[in-house]
Amino acid sequence: MRKLTRASWDGPNCTGYATQPVQLQFRKNGTGTYTVVKTIRTTTKGDLKTTVKATADGFFRYVFAGTRTTVGAGAAAEFIDVK
């Protein structure tokens, strides 16, 4: 499971970033452009979880646009091979 975290001002650790919108994006193999498949919200603990049906080989990634106080971030893309 993926998690969106940010620095905690109360200690040295990162904490889950709750209820933030995050895009699930897909790029078909052999192309260079990602498209938004859906936008989900993190849980109260910052966890990310969703399900989509892959119809072609390609790469999925999560992208957080950021907020006024937190810079945006993107997860490494994961390749999916549709059989």
Side-chain angles (χ1 to χ4, degrees):
M1 181 177 305
R2 298 282 185 177
K3 186 176 198 113
L4 180 63
T5 61
R6 68 177 179 166
S8 170
W9 299 110
D10 298 324
N13 299 323
C14 290
T15 57
Y17 200 9
T19 62
Q20 296 301 306
V22 177
Q23 292 179 343
L24 176 64
Q25 299 179 347
F26 178 74
R27 177 175 65 86
K28 190 174 180 179
N29 197 26
T31 68
T33 304
Y34 279 91
T35 58
V36 177
V37 176
K38 65 171 38 173
T39 299
I40 62 171
R41 288 200 172 268
T42 58
T43 68
T44 56
K45 294 182 180 182
D47 295 325
L48 293 161
K49 184 178 180 184
T50 191
T51 304
V52 295
K53 184 173 182 165
T55 58
D57 293 353
F59 299 86
F60 282 95
R61 69 179 182 185
Y62 283 118
V63 175
F64 171 63
T67 65
R68 187 173 49 84
T69 59
T70 305
V71 80
E78 294 185 29
F79 182 76
I80 302 298
D81 184 14
V82 176
K83 302 275 182 187

